[in-house]
Amino acid sequence: MNIPIRKPVETDSFQVELDPAISIGAAKVFAIYGKGGIGKSTTSSNLSVAFSKLGKRVLQIGCDPKHDSTFTLTKRLAPTVIDALESVKFHSEELRVEDFVVEGYNGVMCVEAGGPPAGTGCGGYVVGQTVKLLKEHHLLEDTDVVIFDVLGDVVCGGFASPLQHAGRALIVTANDFDSIFAMNRIVAAIRAKSKNYEVRLGGVIANRSVATNEIDRYNEAVGLRRVAHFPDLDVIRRSRLKKSTLFEMEPSPELEAVQNEYLRLADELWNGYAPLDAAPMKDRDLFEFLGFD
């Protein structure tokens, strides 16, 4: 299937064109990016619950073909949009809401976009079809917050497509070389998209890290800021094994501190703050910058 592309005047990269007919609308939209395996789905799901605890109507969209973004919310692997569309030979008018939307913990609505078979198709098409389907069924009209949980490391044109819908992009990282190196590439992708769309950098979430010194040093150098810090706690690991969000786990002082950090972050994101205009480093400059006392 063909996706229109264009070459922006101010960048050197081709980008997937956003169809204005499938814009999301009034909801506040956040796109979560970061290195593969860094904990984006854990972060996204618990942030979704935090928003719901603040009384917001929340929709989380998983954008990874392995469709496991929302399983701690739903306790299962939800059916994907692509699977649902294939089942009706892509006649979307034949689908019911329950064919592709699952209600999760505390009322969070969950959608897994799925993806094309490996080596074929485009993730951008999948995201576009997902948003189009949600609009056709009027599911975005009663939504306050949309969270895109996005696949992997360096964002290609297809998987950068959630940035075309988002108001703020958040980057999840750890306090190590590989995570920060991936973050720098993502900063560059977000900056490129911001020349043509409304998305802006919202900040950095430190995850699975006791210390944040390397993250903070990088942030200061490029113009970013850390908006939350979630340490490497065993209760977080166990929550995934129990298919539960952190808000469903047995209470403890350390867990309460993490829950409060999510609630604080959700409140800050909802109320809004000035966007960041970070300037990423060249790869070789970053290589030299990282890891020195």
Side-chain angles (χ1 to χ4, degrees):
M1 299 180 181
N2 294 324
I3 300 177
I5 59 174
R6 61 183 171 127
K7 189 173 185 180
V9 174
E10 298 183 65
T11 73
D12 295 326
S13 63
F14 285 92
Q15 298 187 32
V16 176
E17 178 76 33
L18 174 64
D19 181 354
I22 59 170
S23 62
I24 283 181
K28 295 190 178 186
V29 185
F30 304 95
I32 311 294
Y33 283 88
K35 179 182 178 294
I38 201 62
K40 293 183 298 297
S41 294
T42 299
T43 302
S44 298
S45 296
N46 286 295
L47 185 58
S48 288
V49 174
F51 274 118
S52 74
K53 295 282 187 181
L54 297 179
K56 310 306 178 188
R57 299 164 298 180
V58 185
L59 171 68
Q60 181 170 319
I61 303 174
C63 301
D64 193 320
K66 67 180 186 292
H67 60 97
D68 63 347
S69 170
T70 60
F71 82 83
T72 59
L73 291 161
T74 64
K75 321 308 177 200
R76 65 189 178 101
L77 288 179
T80 72
V81 167
I82 288 300
D83 288 342
L85 285 169
E86 285 181 345
S87 72
V88 294
K89 296 181 170 50
F90 288 84
H91 295 294
S92 59
E93 68 278 2
E94 297 181 18
L95 290 178
R96 302 165 300 169
V97 170
E98 55 265 33
D99 293 330
F100 59 94
V101 180
V102 178
E103 184 172 346
Y105 174 70
N106 210 46
V108 175
M109 303 308 295
C110 303
V111 175
E112 294 285 355
T120 66
C122 175
Y125 168 79
V126 176
V127 171
Q129 287 300 301
T130 298
V131 175
K132 180 179 180 181
L133 196 58
L134 292 168
K135 282 191 72 71
E136 286 176 354
H137 287 267
H138 307 288
L139 292 171
L140 297 173
E141 296 171 6
D142 296 322
T143 301
D144 300 313
V145 175
V146 177
I147 294 178
F148 284 98
D149 173 17
V150 191
L151 168 73
D153 298 323
V154 179
V155 282
C156 70
F159 280 104
S161 60
L163 296 173
Q164 298 172 191
H165 299 286
R168 292 287 185 271
L170 301 167
I171 305 175
V172 182
T173 189
N175 198 50
D176 60 61
F177 180 94
D178 291 332
S179 301
I180 297 172
F181 201 86
M183 173 167 64
N184 189 66
R185 302 291 296 274
I186 295 166
V187 169
I190 295 167
R191 196 177 196 201
K193 284 292 184 183
S194 71
K195 296 180 186 299
N196 301 285
Y197 299 98
E198 294 182 2
V199 67
R200 297 293 183 271
L201 275 161
V204 176
I205 298 172
N207 194 46
R208 296 180 179 173
S209 300
V210 175
T212 63
N213 57 308
E214 294 293 343
I215 297 170
D216 295 339
R217 198 164 67 92
Y218 170 80
N219 287 349
E220 184 178 1
V222 302
L224 280 173
R225 78 178 183 104
R226 175 164 49 87
V227 295
H229 177 205
F230 302 108
D232 189 10
L233 298 177
D234 191 57
V235 67
I236 299 176
R237 178 190 66 83
R238 288 188 286 109
S239 73
R240 297 286 287 178
L241 293 173
K242 288 181 173 290
K243 303 180 180 67
S244 297
T245 69
L246 291 170
F247 291 86
E248 301 167 85
M249 298 293 285
E250 192 73 21
S252 69
E254 66 175 11
L255 178 61
E256 184 179 356
V258 174
Q259 292 170 342
N260 287 337
E261 179 75 339
Y262 272 109
L263 291 167
R264 181 201 60 76
L265 176 60
D267 185 65
E268 182 175 299
L269 291 172
W270 177 258
N271 288 315
Y273 51 83
L276 302 168
D277 186 23
M281 296 184 186
K282 298 289 186 182
D283 286 351
R284 287 184 177 82
D285 293 338
L286 182 61
F287 185 88
E288 293 299 323
F289 176 84
L290 285 174
F292 293 97
D293 293 328

